[in-house]
Every structure is written in structure tokens, then in C-alpha cells.
Amino acid sequence: MKKIALIVFLSCLIPQINAQNIYDDALTAASYAYAHSKKAHGSNNVYHTQEYADKAIEAFQKVEGLAEQCNCKKANETAYAARVDMESSLQEDTYERSRFFAKRAKELGSKLLEQLTSCQASTGSYAQVDEEEYTEEANDIADASEEVSLKQKELELKKRQLELEQKQLEQEIAAQSKQKAEFEAKRAAELKEQTLIKSKAEIALQKLENALQELSVVLNQEAPFESQADYSRSESELKNESLDDTKNFYVNRVKELTQTAMQQFASSNMVDN
């Protein structure tokens, strides 16, 4: 977070440094312009006056652009006026007229230096204030970034917890699905065995009942053997009971069938006696 604050601070400070560099360049150019203007005014002939005037024009023109870049409006206007005077000095044919405009440009050159110095000083004080504001802003950004980082860590922790819970839930669902599949497979196998027992047991019970009826005839029983036992099971009944229940059902039917036969045979013997 401190690195972020430093980066923000430097990014805010660099424009101020650049502005100071522009002022330095503007003051240097203004110094050359003033010096050339002074020489142009102090020359003893029109040729020398115009020679230095030409150099001063170039310097004033440079100051115009630099003053505009650093938003020093007064210096920009003064540099423009001085350049115009120097251009007028070049256009004059007489020494006196040329020197007159050179003098005006020289006076404006001195004023130009004062204006640029004043602008630079003002910008420096503003820069100090801006630096404090930028530092405070950078600290605020750093604090906000740190808070965001903490929030992100909290969200990541919650995300991992949710992922863990989701994984556990998926494992539980998978285990339940496996248990269900195993139960259904086991139940299907059991139902298949129940169906087989049903088929064989009902055939065997029918044969047993037929045998008892034949035995009743052989023994000259007056009343034929009759059984009221119901030993058939439906598919739905098999599905609603276990394998042991199915076995017990047919065991009980055998008991009922044999008990009925024994009772009927016993009754017949008592009558004969």
C-alpha cells in the first residue's frame, strides 16, 4: 500500500517539476531577450541595432510559447508586445526610429523578467499546497486500497469456505446416490429371488394339495379333502415385503395345509370308530 501511495505522490509531483523546468527555460530565454534588447538599444548605428533586434525577436518569441505553457498570461502578453516592438525596430530605416522601438522592447524585457519570476514564485507556493493535498490524497488512496485488499481477502476466505461446503455436500450426495443405487440393486435381486420362490412354492403347494386329495380318495374318505388356504401372492405384494416375509408366508401356508389335512383325517377316523 505504501508503494501505491508513493506512485500516486510521484505522479502528482512530476507535473509540478515539469512546470518549474518550463519557468526556468522561460526565464533563460527572457534574459537573452532582455540582453539583446539592451544591446540593440545601445548600438551606435542602425545595422547593429537591427542585428541584435533580430536575436531579441527570436528570444521573445520563445518566451511567448513557454509563458503560454506555464499559464503566465501577463508574461505572454508582455513577450508578444516586446516582440512586436523589436519587429518594428527591424522595419525602420532610420537609426533614431529603430532605436526608439528597441528601447521600448528593452523596458518590456525588464518587466517580462519580473512577471516570470512572480509567476514562478506563485506556482511554487501552489505546488507546496498541492504537494500536501497530493500527499493526503495518496494516503487516502492507500488506505482505500488496503481496505479493498482486506475485503478481497475476506471474500476469498468466504469463497474457499463455500467451495469446501459445496465439496462436502457433493460428497454426501454422491454417497447417498451410491447407497441408493446399492439398495435398489440389492432390492431388485431380492425381488427376483422372491418371484422365483413364489413360482416354485405355489407349484409345490398345488402338488401337495393334489396329493392330499388323492390320499383322501385312496383312504376311502367319505368327504374329499378340501383346503381353503390361499397360497398365491401378487407382484405388488412381493414388492411390499421382504424376502424373509415371502418365505414365511409360504411356510405358513404349508403348515395350514397340513394342519387342515390332519384335522380332516382325524375327524374321519373318529366317525369310523
Side-chain angles (χ1 to χ4, degrees):
M1 296 306 141
K2 298 299 182 183
K3 290 182 178 179
I4 294 175
L6 180 60
I7 292 171
V8 173
F9 173 73
L10 290 176
S11 65
C12 296
L13 186 61
I14 287 173
Q16 298 297 332
I17 295 174
N18 291 336
Q20 291 299 321
N21 290 337
I22 294 172
Y23 275 116
D24 291 340
D25 292 342
L27 282 168
T28 300
S31 297
Y32 281 121
Y34 176 71
H36 293 317
S37 300
K38 190 175 181 181
K39 288 181 179 180
H41 177 251
S43 297
N44 55 12
N45 60 72
V46 68
Y47 301 108
H48 287 164
T49 298
Q50 293 181 350
E51 178 184 355
Y52 288 112
D54 190 46
K55 294 179 180 180
I57 289 171
E58 183 179 352
F60 280 127
Q61 192 170 15
K62 184 175 181 180
V63 175
E64 279 186 70
L66 293 170
E68 184 177 3
Q69 289 182 41
C70 55
N71 296 321
C72 190
K73 185 177 180 181
K74 290 182 179 180
N76 175 267
E77 293 174 350
T78 301
Y80 170 77
R83 177 174 62 82
V84 170
D85 281 339
M86 275 303 180
E87 288 175 349
S88 297
S89 177
L90 280 176
Q91 295 171 1
E92 295 296 331
D93 295 332
T94 63
Y95 170 68
E96 289 78 9
R97 293 292 299 172
S98 179
R99 191 167 178 270
F100 169 76
F101 286 108
K103 179 182 178 183
R104 286 177 50 173
K106 181 189 73 171
E107 292 172 351
L108 289 174
S110 177
K111 182 179 179 181
L112 178 60
L113 287 169
E114 293 176 0
Q115 290 173 338
L116 286 172
T117 302
S118 177
C119 283
Q120 185 182 35
S122 299
T123 302
S125 62
Y126 292 147
Q128 181 65 30
V129 174
D130 290 343
E131 181 179 339
E132 294 175 358
E133 292 178 353
Y134 291 146
T135 302
E136 183 178 355
E137 182 179 353
N139 290 333
D140 291 341
I141 293 174
D143 293 339
S145 299
E146 187 172 358
E147 184 176 353
V148 169
S149 179
L150 290 174
K151 291 292 184 182
Q152 288 177 339
K153 289 180 180 179
E154 290 178 3
L155 290 175
E156 286 294 331
L157 180 59
K158 290 181 179 179
K159 181 182 177 181
R160 286 196 293 269
Q161 290 176 344
L162 289 174
E163 288 175 349
L164 180 60
E165 292 175 0
Q166 178 69 21
K167 186 176 181 180
Q168 291 175 344
L169 181 60
E170 290 175 354
Q171 290 175 346
E172 291 176 1
I173 293 174
Q176 291 175 358
S177 298
K178 183 180 179 181
Q179 290 176 355
K180 182 180 179 182
E182 290 175 350
F183 172 78
E184 290 177 349
K186 182 179 178 181
R187 184 69 187 103
E190 187 178 59
L191 183 59
K192 183 177 180 181
E193 188 174 355
Q194 286 175 261
T195 303
L196 182 61
I197 290 174
K198 170 185 179 304
S199 177
K200 291 182 177 181
E202 289 179 358
I203 293 173
L205 285 168
Q206 184 64 52
K207 288 180 179 180
L208 178 59
E209 184 177 353
N210 292 338
L212 290 172
Q213 288 176 350
E214 290 178 5
L215 182 60
S216 175
V217 172
V218 170
L219 296 176
N220 296 318
Q221 297 290 328
E222 294 181 358
F225 174 76
E226 294 181 358
S227 174
Q228 296 180 351
D230 181 12
Y231 42 78
S232 64
R233 301 291 281 164
S234 66
E235 290 294 330
S236 61
E237 288 175 321
L238 293 180
K239 290 180 180 179
N240 292 323
E241 65 185 17
S242 66
L243 177 61
D244 290 338
D245 292 336
T246 301
K247 289 180 178 179
N248 289 333
F249 172 80
Y250 288 109
V251 169
N252 291 332
R253 296 295 82 77
V254 171
K255 290 179 180 180
E256 291 175 3
L257 188 60
T258 54
Q259 287 176 357
T260 300
M262 290 175 64
Q263 289 174 358
Q264 289 187 17
F265 289 146
S267 298
S268 176
N269 289 334
M270 290 178 64
V271 172
D272 291 341
N273 292 333

